[in-house]
Amino acid sequence: MKKFAKLLAMVLAVSMVLTMFVGAVDYTDTKDVTKEQAAAIEAVYNWGIMEGYKGEFRPNDPVTRDEMAKIMYTLKKIGNEPNSIYGSFAGSFVDSAKLPDWSKAFVGYAAVEGIFVGNEKNEFNALGEVSYIEAAIVMLRALGEDDVTVNADGEEISEYTGAKWYENAVKDALDIDIFKNVKTDNLRAAATRADIAVMIQNAKAQDDKNEAADTTNTYAPFALATFYTGVVVDITKEVEEDGEKVKYFVVDGAKDYAIGDLDAAEYLGKEVSWFEEGDDVSELTVLTKDVVTVALSEIELDDKGEKLSIGEIVLKYADVKDLSAYRFVETETKLTSEVKISDLIEAKEALDESALWQEVTVVLNKTSISVFDAGIAFVLFNENTVRSSAAYDADTKTWNYSYTYAGYEITKEMSELEDNTLLAVKVIDNKVELVEAQPTLVSYKELAVKSTKDGYVYTVGGEALTIYDADILGYSNTIVEADLYANQGKKSIEEGGKEYNLYLIVYEDLIIGTYAEEVESVKVPAVYGIVVDWTIAPAKIKDKDDKDANVNLAYVAVVINGKTETVKVVLDEGETMSTGLFKITANAAYAEEEAIVSLTKQTKGTGANTYGTLIFTNYKVSEDGKKITSTDIFGGVEKEVKLFTFIDMSGNGYGAADYAIADNGVVSIGGKTTAPNSALFVRIGAGDDVAYIIVYDEEGKFGAYGELAK
């Protein structure tokens, strides 16, 4: 497994601000360089030798002598920072005290290797500018071109010293094309950074020739790093190395890179670069400029294919339509497909218009884009769109329900969803996840719509909303803007003799649909109770339209099934209360939360003893003769009749104890026996009586009542 040493190339690197689609090296100030200089600037960057500063290469700036020493070290000793011991050799120059701390080891190395020598005063002159001929000389020495002789005193004499140093250096440099594509007529002038890059590239070409011609293995070639760059397209690869599984990034256009302790998900779809030399591997550099989330409709390519708009970001490049678009659809681990940007735009334009509002995440790389399409969908969860399963958690004593959408299982456990619950989901790696933002229902009462010459403007609570007629699975959804305008501020409307509450379906700042819910009669069954007491006071309450109403409100104590309850009743002007048996129903004229009821007084019957007939007949007795089940009572659902309750004004009626099932399945109530599956009878006592029988299911829920009168 390769070790992770921080290369000198990266130590020397300074931060750059990347500009989209300018080239592999993105400097903001290289527009006017020659094509040879541009190629050389890219080469020295890729070799880790020369890099820019805050997005600039500064091609016309000079190079100082200590900077040149650093460049030469990088050419010969890539992979590690210079050993600090080299710094002591910098002391051979009389002005070593003036050397910046960062450059001492580089200058010491140059002195040891004989690449740099001082002037006649033995000064290094660290901040002095390097001329073209001086730069050529240090490169010639690094290439082994210096013809060194030994004098009578045993001293080594370089051909680049003495009276003919200049002529010798110029001749040797021209012989091996060090000055190729360098346009200057004064070799003693300060060399520019762009021309130094060209000279390095020329020196590398000669270095390759020298290495190829070396038959004795005595030549020491330049030790340049290999530069890799590409887009991370897969974070799932595993390789067994030395008995351990090692995870790798798969990088398109480059080689695999060991993930180590990096957060792999943070790199998927991003363009990265690194240097390698032997077993030395630099840290990853992320070349991505930005990551934005936009609607599909906000990705546009101009007619000439030269300008790509992604939201508010505009990318200009001659061949932008042919650049790569890496697509990650319903996945966050590996590439789905690689297409040209023009193909991506064509596929987007083929989509149904209602899908174009859906958001995608776009990674803006240097020479490509990556598009993550999580496939956000709105689903109305009901029996037609989902399958659910339930598991009982013995520890928490609760049921957990799991749901599926389009064959995918939702990863989050949740409580049981009611029918027609609307959720926003996305499919990732064959799992459905709830997105962070969820749609909500907002009453039309909160909606304000303004008609302008450019169309309607929608606000809720002062916040602007945009219309997107979204496709909601399991729900027929159409937004009619004129209806929104006409019904703004209303809680409900009446249509076809029915009342409907009106809602907007809102997702973040989008109106994605509308929903009308029929206002059903309040499902509170009629019950019967005996009024025993009350108090009356003026009150302000809400009516069904949520408007204030000033009323006389009675707080009434009612005995229901042996328990005293308090109910609220609105009294008409001059109306009073009385004791007796009342039928209790909900009052639909007032807001449901006010819990207002209506009371209907029950009158007594007259006549001799008689029998009343219960209003249901479809019942059956269990085989053991211990229980009755009926479909008549409970809305067509077969449930057990658990309890009968009798209310009799005279006190002569029959209670639960009078209900029995004989072993032969014969039902006996109040002493009157009936055969199975025949009508049930209850005996009414003598005198002016009225009696009621109320039936409950096994959970104690109200089922039906029978009104028995003479």
Side-chain angles (χ1 to χ4, degrees):
M1 181 177 173
K2 291 189 174 182
K3 60 184 178 180
F4 286 78
K6 189 171 184 181
L7 294 183
L8 175 65
M10 304 310 296
V11 174
L12 304 183
V14 291
S15 62
M16 297 186 301
V17 177
L18 302 177
T19 304
M20 183 69 62
F21 301 135
V22 177
V25 184
D26 297 330
Y27 297 119
T28 61
D29 59 349
T30 55
K31 179 180 178 181
D32 297 326
V33 301
T34 67
K35 65 178 181 180
E36 292 82 10
Q37 288 174 329
I41 289 170
E42 182 168 349
V44 296
Y45 172 84
N46 290 348
W47 292 330
I49 297 172
M50 295 178 71
E51 299 193 8
Y53 178 74
K54 292 186 177 179
E56 297 178 339
F57 184 75
R58 301 182 180 179
N60 297 318
D61 282 6
V63 176
T64 61
R65 287 171 62 83
D66 56 356
E67 288 174 339
M68 195 69 199
K70 179 175 162 183
I71 287 171
M72 298 313 296
Y73 180 92
T74 309
L75 275 171
K76 299 291 286 184
K77 291 286 186 180
I78 190 69
N80 298 285
E81 294 185 50
N83 194 308
S84 60
I85 195 67
Y86 280 122
S88 63
F89 290 97
S92 61
F93 299 110
V94 297
D95 60 346
S96 61
K98 298 180 180 180
L99 290 172
D101 289 340
W102 70 265
S103 68
K104 287 180 180 179
F106 298 115
V107 172
Y109 167 79
V112 169
E113 295 295 323
I115 295 173
F116 264 102
V117 296
N119 59 19
E120 64 276 3
K121 296 180 181 180
N122 197 29
E123 295 172 330
F124 182 76
N125 189 19
L127 301 182
E129 296 172 351
V130 173
S131 67
Y132 285 95
I133 192 63
E134 289 173 336
I137 288 173
V138 296
M139 292 182 195
L140 289 167
R141 286 173 176 156
L143 290 165
E145 299 292 334
D146 188 4
D147 188 5
V148 178
T149 59
V150 180
N151 64 14
D153 296 329
E155 296 176 327
E156 292 184 348
I157 305 299
S158 167
E159 65 172 320
Y160 306 138
T161 59
K164 293 188 176 183
W165 73 268
Y166 182 81
E167 291 84 349
N168 292 338
V170 171
K171 177 182 179 300
D172 287 351
L174 291 174
D175 285 346
I176 61 172
D177 287 334
I178 291 292
F179 294 124
K180 181 181 178 181
N181 296 320
V182 174
K183 294 177 173 58
T184 181
D185 57 2
N186 182 8
L187 296 180
R188 295 179 187 269
T192 66
R193 285 172 55 82
D195 284 337
I196 289 290
V198 173
M199 294 171 68
I200 291 172
Q201 190 176 40
N202 294 337
K204 178 63 173 71
Q206 183 61 39
D207 175 69
D208 291 340
K209 294 177 183 178
N210 292 350
E211 186 176 12
D214 180 27
T215 59
T216 60
N217 293 325
T218 57
Y219 178 71
F222 291 172
L224 297 180
T226 302
F227 177 76
Y228 295 98
T229 185
V231 174
V232 177
V233 296
D234 191 340
I235 59 175
T236 63
K237 183 175 181 178
E238 285 188 346
V239 177
E240 183 140 345
E241 297 178 2
D242 300 328
E244 296 182 359
K245 288 186 177 180
V246 180
K247 292 185 177 181
Y248 279 88
F249 290 126
V250 177
V251 183
D252 186 46
K255 59 185 296 188
D256 298 343
Y257 186 94
I259 295 175
D261 58 359
L262 297 176
D263 184 354
E266 290 295 315
Y267 290 82
L268 187 66
K270 294 181 179 177
E271 189 170 357
V272 297
S273 68
W274 73 96
F275 296 93
E276 289 190 19
E277 198 281 315
D279 285 338
D280 293 323
V281 182
S282 75
E283 295 177 348
L284 276 185
T285 298
V286 176
L287 305 181
T288 295
K289 178 180 177 62
D290 205 351
V291 179
V292 296
T293 299
V294 297
L296 279 172
S297 59
E298 296 180 87
I299 304 178
E300 297 288 346
L301 186 65
D302 73 338
D303 293 337
K304 294 182 179 179
E306 297 177 354
K307 184 171 69 173
L308 180 68
S309 300
I310 302 177
E312 298 180 355
I313 299 173
V314 178
L315 310 175
K316 295 181 179 180
Y317 192 67
D319 298 318
V320 68
K321 67 180 184 301
D322 295 324
L323 294 176
S324 290
Y326 294 89
R327 300 234 33 216
F328 298 83
V329 181
E330 299 180 0
T331 178
E332 288 186 347
T333 58
K334 63 178 63 176
L335 181 71
T336 302
S337 63
E338 179 185 356
V339 298
K340 291 182 179 179
I341 285 177
S342 56
D343 295 332
L344 173 69
I345 297 297
E346 184 177 342
K348 181 212 76 169
E349 291 177 347
L351 291 174
D352 183 86
E353 183 178 350
S354 65
L356 295 181
W357 71 270
Q358 296 187 45
E359 292 182 340
V360 293
T361 299
V362 182
V363 178
L364 306 178
N365 293 319
K366 290 174 59 182
T367 56
S368 66
I369 64 172
S370 295
V371 180
F372 288 83
D373 180 357
I376 293 178
F378 295 104
V379 186
L380 192 68
F381 279 82
N382 55 43
E383 61 183 6
N384 298 321
T385 55
V386 295
R387 172 181 60 80
S388 65
S389 60
Y392 185 72
D393 188 329
D395 294 331
T396 61
K397 297 182 179 179
T398 58
W399 289 87
N400 290 323
Y401 294 81
S402 62
Y403 290 83
T404 60
Y405 158 65
Y408 302 107
E409 183 175 348
I410 292 183
T411 57
K412 294 184 178 180
E413 291 183 338
M414 63 187 75
S415 58
E416 185 174 13
L417 296 177
E418 296 182 3
D419 268 358
N420 299 327
T421 298
L422 182 65
L423 295 179
V425 301
K426 59 182 178 179
V427 182
I428 296 178
D429 286 342
N430 298 327
K431 294 179 180 178
V432 173
E433 292 187 0
L434 302 178
V435 299
E436 184 174 351
Q438 286 294 315
T440 57
L441 294 180
V442 178
S443 173
Y444 272 44
K445 184 182 177 183
E446 307 297 323
L447 175 66
V449 186
K450 183 178 181 181
S451 180
T452 70
K453 64 179 181 179
D454 298 322
Y456 294 112
V457 177
Y458 302 91
T459 57
V460 169
E463 297 292 328
L465 300 180
T466 304
I467 293 288
Y468 280 108
D469 205 344
D471 180 20
I472 301 176
L473 182 64
Y475 179 62
S476 179
N477 179 53
T478 302
I479 299 176
V480 180
E481 294 191 74
D483 289 348
L484 296 184
Y485 180 75
N487 295 317
Q488 60 176 306
K490 297 180 181 178
K491 179 181 179 181
S492 63
I493 60 171
E494 290 187 6
E495 188 175 291
K498 295 182 179 180
E499 184 180 5
Y500 296 89
N501 285 330
L502 300 178
Y503 297 97
L504 305 171
I505 304 174
V506 177
Y507 177 72
E508 295 187 325
D509 60 351
L510 305 173
I511 298 174
I512 64 172
T514 60
Y515 181 67
E517 180 182 54
E518 183 179 349
V519 179
E520 300 179 4
S521 300
V522 180
K523 293 182 179 179
V524 176
V527 295
Y528 297 84
I530 300 173
V531 172
V532 294
D533 196 7
W534 61 85
T535 59
I536 301 174
K540 180 183 289 186
I541 60 176
K542 297 287 186 182
D543 65 15
K544 67 176 182 178
D545 295 321
D546 209 27
K547 295 179 180 179
D548 290 336
N550 294 308
V551 299
N552 287 328
L553 194 62
Y555 296 86
V556 182
V558 186
V559 178
I560 302 173
N561 295 334
K563 294 182 180 179
T564 302
E565 310 276 356
T566 299
V567 297
K568 294 185 291 184
V569 179
V570 172
L571 300 179
D572 294 332
E573 186 175 354
E575 184 180 3
T576 60
M577 288 297 304
S578 63
T579 59
L581 179 67
F582 285 80
K583 182 178 181 180
I584 306 169
T585 56
N587 190 333
Y590 297 93
E592 187 175 343
E593 56 268 24
E594 297 287 359
I596 304 298
V597 301
S598 295
L599 297 181
T600 305
K601 186 95 179 253
Q602 303 301 302
T603 59
K604 300 178 181 180
T606 59
N609 291 352
T610 186
Y611 293 98
T613 304
L614 197 58
I615 62 172
F616 61 92
T617 58
N618 289 331
Y619 68 94
K620 61 183 179 180
V621 180
S622 62
E623 291 183 2
D624 61 7
K626 299 300 182 183
K627 64 182 180 181
I628 302 172
T629 58
S630 174
T631 57
D632 271 1
I633 308 173
F634 305 108
V637 178
E638 184 173 289
K639 288 189 175 183
E640 179 183 355
V641 178
K642 190 70 173 180
L643 177 68
F644 289 90
T645 298
F646 299 89
I647 299 175
D648 184 345
M649 289 297 292
S650 67
N652 296 323
Y654 304 97
D658 295 300
Y659 152 58
I661 303 176
D663 292 340
N664 60 2
V666 173
V667 179
S668 175
I669 296 180
K672 174 61 179 177
T673 300
T674 64
N677 299 321
S678 64
L680 286 179
F681 291 88
V682 176
R683 183 171 182 271
I684 302 297
D688 50 349
D689 301 324
V690 63
Y692 300 90
I693 179 170
I694 304 173
V695 183
Y696 299 84
D697 69 7
E698 66 272 20
E699 296 176 357
K701 294 181 180 178
F702 179 88
Y705 69 94
E707 183 174 331
L708 309 177
K710 299 171 182 170

